[in-house]
Amino acid sequence: MTDNNLIKKLWQRPSIIIVTLLFLFLLVVPKIVTGYYLHAVILIIMYATLGTAWNWIGGFAGQMSLGNAVYFGLGAYATACSQLWWGWNPWLGLLLGIVLSGIVAFLIGLPCFRLKGHYFAIATMAVGEIVNIIFTNWDAAGGASGLYLTITESSLLNFQFASKVPYFYIVLVLLVLATAITIWLKNSRSGYYFRAIKEDPEAAKALGINLVNRKLMAIILSGTVSSVAGSFWINYMLFIDPPSAFLIMTSVQIALIAVMGGMGTVWGPIVGASIIIPLSEGSRMFLGGTGSGIDLVIYGLLIMLVAIYQPGGIVGAVNNYTKKRQSKKKATLKAVQEVSE
Amino acid sequence: MLEIKDLVVSYGGVPALFGVSINVNDGEVVSVVGSNGAGKSTLLKAISGLMKPEGGEVVLDGKSIHNLKAHEIVKQGIVMVPEGRHLFGQMSIVQNLMMGAYQVTDKKVNADRLEKVYSIFPRIKEREKQLAGTLSGGEQQMVAIARGLMSEPRILMLDEPSLGLAPIMVKEMFRMIKDIKQTGVTILLVEQRLKDALILSDRAYVLQTGKIVMEGKGEEFMNSPEVRQAYLGL
């Protein structure tokens, strides 16, 4: 009986089954795909993590940051520089990246949160460009030609592995953690305050919600987790240069992933990354040098389509559909009952 | 308890209030009445810290509070229910109410407050899980006031609570404000519906183009021939 109930309950919430199956599937992915395709999956998971982190500030708190690549790049550079300059362990570098990104997020947020809507987006974009230029001209940090990480023995302590498989599991853990934070946010007071700020900042202010503090919380959370993804990236690629760290396109891509998948939803960034990354990787693979930039054209188109037809993103659309179906079901059920009475 | 002295407020250089002085005593209902554009909402916004006054003072219990930020003023016990309700439409009623209790983290305190608020507005308790955006205008106004009460304010400022409500709802709304008064909350009410506001109020001020032009007791106002003629159309 209780078993039946459990099955029934699960049946009513198919998302739990889907997510569990997906997760189990992901666990065995390295057994199925290898080489470049495993690299693509790692990219998808990493961008899903970055999109999830963007979702906190952009999707929940409603602050359209177009500078999230800054934190990603800082995480990567903190790990690389601390190793090259002081011989730090990459895990220590990861922590340094978290601290640095937190501070930078705070410093960006403090003045930029005085701006509203588009102006905030433009300001964060400008900050990204500033950081890009600083690192391009900073010779000690590799300048325009970038930095290579020293290759060490393959081990978890060194955060370096000969095979891609351990990287895959590490980034998967990161995504699971980030998604757990989103689930927590969605159901916690803090998450509701973020949403209140997004929905009606004036009312939130009148109720005594400390807008600046809450927004700073959101941006710091978003920045630190993005930074961890950056630290992962440098240890995986062993190379970083300013364009691959701070390019404005990376920021746009991160935001697009969350917007397309569904802002303010738990699974949106994962869905978004699963579509956008294969698109950009695919266009690069099949079109090669002649088609470079075609993925940007596709992004532009996607942004327009989402903005016009489905502002809730893909997950938003699916939610709407299931809700409609459920209410229809309820309505028919009620009608049947009334008739039988 | 609350004293506003010579308050000057302007919107980007265009003055809206020219030296407004009012005071509100403990336990009173005070109305500020006046026509559109008289500066009523501006006055409430300035008191709640949503707008910075250019001159004058807002004093609460002898302490000047006009330099505090909006959330600090709520902490001092003054909360405003904005005009047009401003609910969070995508959240349920109970979530909206919890947004009002920002300063408290104690779950038990919050549950007590929720009970208290529901006892004033039983109608919204039945629908606590419903999305706020799906309520009728009157119910939304109740939620907006209830949300303000969740911070247990000493002074509740209501900006046009009757705006856009059906006549029967307006009556009910004023009855509820009376109930709130009986719980000991001081109320500063801004209204265009003079008659209803004056019946409820201990004292009233008439605001006209940014200046206070008249003040007095609620009943005196009702009976004053000038007011009746100029504002009530009686």
Side-chain angles (χ1 to χ4, degrees):
Chain A
M1 186 65 201
T2 43
D3 275 2
N4 264 338
N5 271 343
L6 191 73
I7 291 166
K8 229 183 190 173
K9 251 184 203 163
L10 279 176
W11 191 243
Q12 275 158 358
R13 299 202 53 190
S15 57
I16 295 176
I17 301 176
I18 294 170
V19 168
T20 323
L21 285 179
L22 186 75
F23 186 70
L24 290 176
F25 169 71
L26 278 173
L27 282 181
V28 296
V29 155
K31 298 253 183 281
I32 304 165
V33 294
T34 49
Y36 172 74
Y37 292 100
L38 185 59
H39 169 73
V41 175
I42 291 175
L43 264 184
I44 290 174
I45 298 177
M46 192 188 79
Y47 271 98
T49 310
L50 286 167
T52 302
W54 183 90
N55 201 19
W56 302 330
I57 177 80
F60 282 88
Q63 309 300 310
M64 294 292 163
S65 162
L66 287 179
N68 261 34
V70 167
Y71 316 116
F72 171 75
L74 276 177
Y77 266 100
T79 308
C81 290
S82 65
Q83 193 211 41
L84 293 176
W85 296 347
W86 313 307
W88 281 20
N89 179 286
W91 292 101
L92 260 179
L94 182 144
L95 288 179
L96 178 72
I98 291 178
V99 173
L100 270 179
S101 294
I103 294 170
V104 169
F106 177 79
L107 292 178
I108 292 176
L110 218 47
C112 290
F113 281 142
R114 293 177 178 277
L115 305 168
K116 277 178 194 158
H118 310 308
Y119 299 103
F120 175 77
I122 293 168
T124 52
M125 222 159 155
V127 172
E129 214 38 38
I130 291 168
V131 176
N132 187 11
I133 290 167
I134 291 175
F135 273 88
T136 310
N137 292 291
W138 188 359
D139 290 332
S145 53
L147 285 174
Y148 285 92
L149 222 57
T150 324
I151 294 173
T152 49
E153 207 183 322
S154 170
S155 79
L156 185 63
L157 182 68
N158 288 336
F159 210 145
Q160 278 186 23
F161 309 95
S163 129
K164 286 193 171 70
V165 178
Y167 287 115
F168 170 83
Y169 286 115
I170 289 176
V171 79
L172 187 61
V173 167
L174 190 55
L175 177 62
V176 169
L177 284 179
T179 306
I181 293 178
T182 312
I183 293 173
W184 167 76
L185 258 185
K186 204 154 184 191
N187 302 308
S188 78
R189 271 171 80 107
S190 285
Y192 283 117
Y193 291 131
F194 289 173
R195 281 164 63 185
I197 291 170
K198 180 187 175 185
E199 266 197 52
D200 196 330
E202 207 51 15
K205 219 169 159 184
L207 288 172
I209 296 176
N210 188 337
L211 258 62
V212 175
N213 272 5
R214 289 288 157 179
K215 286 184 196 170
L216 282 174
M217 259 180 70
I219 202 171
I220 289 172
L221 190 65
S222 179
T224 47
V225 173
S226 304
S227 153
V228 175
S231 298
F232 165 80
W233 180 245
I234 176 87
N235 283 299
Y236 175 55
M237 295 304 284
L238 301 172
F239 169 71
I240 191 85
D241 63 351
S244 61
F246 300 114
L247 208 63
I248 190 111
M249 270 324 296
T250 315
S251 290
V252 173
Q253 199 172 28
I254 292 168
L256 180 60
I257 281 168
V259 171
M260 169 132 188
M263 281 198 285
T265 64
V266 176
W267 310 111
I270 298 172
V271 173
S274 310
I275 293 169
I276 303 265
I277 299 304
L279 250 177
S280 80
E281 286 296 302
S283 72
R284 215 172 294 171
M285 220 164 90
F286 294 115
L287 299 168
T290 46
S292 82
I294 196 92
D295 52 333
L296 303 186
V297 175
I298 298 173
Y299 287 172
L301 237 127
L302 284 176
I303 292 175
M304 284 194 270
L305 287 177
V306 170
I308 295 169
Y309 293 109
Q310 202 39 259
I314 294 168
V315 172
V318 172
N319 282 347
N320 276 346
Y321 175 73
T322 47
K323 244 183 222 160
K324 257 187 211 152
R325 226 182 48 175
Q326 269 171 4
S327 57
K328 222 184 212 172
K329 228 188 217 166
K330 261 186 207 159
T332 28
L333 215 74
K334 214 174 162 192
V336 168
Q337 271 173 352
E338 272 166 13
V339 169
S340 59
E341 271 166 21
Chain B
M1 164 157 108
L2 179 71
E3 229 179 310
I4 289 124
K5 294 181 201 158
D6 297 321
L7 204 66
V8 179
V9 184
S10 60
Y11 287 94
V14 183
L17 295 180
F18 309 85
V20 167
S21 301
I22 68 173
N23 64 71
V24 181
N25 300 321
D26 212 344
E28 264 186 332
V29 174
V30 174
S31 320
V32 176
V33 293
S35 57
N36 261 340
K40 301 178 307 266
S41 298
T42 310
L43 176 65
L44 293 197
K45 278 187 189 160
I47 298 172
S48 59
L50 293 175
M51 289 185 75
K52 283 283 152 249
E54 272 163 30
E57 263 190 299
V58 179
V59 181
L60 179 70
D61 294 330
K63 260 196 318 185
S64 137
I65 59 165
H66 55 271
N67 285 324
L68 297 181
K69 297 214 174 78
H71 65 268
E72 291 165 330
I73 288 173
V74 174
K75 226 183 258 178
Q76 298 291 324
I78 302 180
V79 77
M80 177 177 75
V81 178
E83 179 181 346
R85 312 186 272 266
H86 285 273
L87 293 185
F88 305 117
Q90 295 300 314
M91 295 188 199
S92 71
I93 292 175
V94 73
Q95 284 162 357
N96 261 283
L97 295 180
M98 293 320 285
M99 289 294 110
Y102 180 72
Q103 316 284 359
V104 216
T105 44
D106 189 334
K107 276 197 179 133
K108 209 184 155 299
V109 174
N110 275 330
D112 286 349
R113 287 188 182 183
L114 209 56
E115 269 320 299
K116 227 173 172 178
V117 167
Y118 281 150
S119 70
I120 302 172
F121 302 101
R123 225 164 117 174
I124 59 176
K125 186 182 182 175
E126 298 157 18
R127 308 180 164 206
E128 62 175 8
K129 293 262 152 49
Q130 202 173 321
L131 286 187
T134 63
L135 296 177
S136 75
E139 287 159 344
Q140 286 194 12
Q141 186 62 54
M142 288 183 208
V143 176
I145 296 177
R147 190 176 63 177
L149 286 172
M150 283 299 287
S151 66
E152 294 224 319
R154 293 164 58 207
I155 302 177
L156 180 70
M157 302 197 293
L158 300 172
D159 195 352
E160 303 252 3
S162 74
L163 190 80
L165 299 187
I168 189 164
M169 249 348 277
V170 172
K171 242 185 194 161
E172 180 145 359
M173 191 55 60
F174 278 104
R175 194 184 52 71
M176 282 168 179
I177 296 171
K178 213 170 161 189
D179 287 349
I180 296 168
K181 181 197 175 182
Q182 254 132 36
T183 64
V185 181
T186 307
I187 296 172
L188 180 57
L189 177 67
V190 154
E191 259 295 339
Q192 276 195 48
R193 300 182 74 98
L194 236 93
K195 205 172 152 192
D196 295 301
L198 290 181
I199 292 171
L200 187 75
S201 310
D202 299 303
R203 284 184 309 114
Y205 294 85
V206 176
L207 193 62
Q208 200 173 39
T209 53
K211 285 190 195 100
I212 298 285
V213 292
M214 217 181 278
E215 66 168 289
K217 287 219 158 75
E219 314 123 56
E220 281 173 18
F221 257 62
M222 287 292 292
N223 299 326
S224 135
E226 292 157 285
V227 175
R228 287 172 73 95
Q229 205 181 9
Y231 298 101
L232 294 175
L234 296 175

